[in-house]
Amino acid sequence: MTARPQRSATLVFTQAVLALQALAALFAVLVLWGLTRAGELDLPAWLLWGGGLGFVILLGYAAGKQGRRWGRWLGWVLQVPMLVAGLAESTIAVIGVMFLALWITGLRLGGRIDRERAERVAAEGSAEGGPTAGDSAAEDAQA
């Protein structure tokens, strides 16, 4: 039975951040809708629901495309609208900053983990693949 190849840590982290950000964006849309209904905010319904739910769907789509290089760039671009939404409600900007920090952390730590995994696999491959310098010296001493 062959083991499945391990998924990239960067892929897992970026997908998780964008999926969770989609949920946070959905709740942000609901908060803005509540503020609009209470008269605290004046946003057109088409902008609130169309733009908000479109953003949520786009975040979900971007989460699924993180395996592609352009998917990563889309993830970067999608960090901006959450920050801009802070103009309507400042707490949304705080949440946007937190997700931006998570995005950057996921990319950095994921990249580091992926590099360390590749180094470990390369080291294991060279150890199994042929004699090392220590093995050659031991064989020369026996001869």
Side-chain angles (χ1 to χ4, degrees):
M1 181 174 188
T2 60
R4 282 184 22 199
Q6 198 166 22
R7 290 180 51 191
S8 162
T10 304
L11 177 67
V12 171
F13 290 161
T14 55
Q15 284 180 332
V17 168
L18 290 175
L20 291 172
Q21 191 172 5
L23 286 173
L26 176 63
F27 291 125
V29 168
L30 293 173
V31 165
L32 292 175
W33 178 62
L35 289 173
T36 302
R37 291 203 40 154
E40 300 290 324
L41 196 61
D42 186 30
L43 281 175
W46 66 268
L47 177 63
L48 177 64
W49 289 108
L53 294 180
F55 181 59
V56 169
I57 291 168
L58 197 55
L59 282 166
Y61 176 76
K65 297 300 179 184
Q66 287 304 295
R68 300 192 169 136
R69 186 163 181 79
W70 62 267
R72 260 328 119 68
W73 285 105
L74 181 59
W76 274 108
V77 169
L78 291 178
Q79 298 307 308
V80 175
M82 200 100 169
L83 299 172
V84 172
L87 297 174
E89 175 60 36
S90 60
T91 53
I92 296 173
V94 172
I95 294 168
V97 167
M98 291 178 3
F99 273 105
L100 177 61
L102 285 171
W103 177 256
I104 293 169
T105 302
L107 287 171
R108 293 191 64 199
L109 287 179
R112 184 180 305 157
I113 291 169
D114 289 339
R115 280 190 303 277
E116 290 174 1
R117 284 180 183 170
E119 290 171 2
R120 186 186 71 227
V121 167
E124 289 173 355
S126 66
E128 294 173 3
T132 61
D135 294 339
S136 301
E139 290 172 4
D140 291 343
Q142 290 177 355

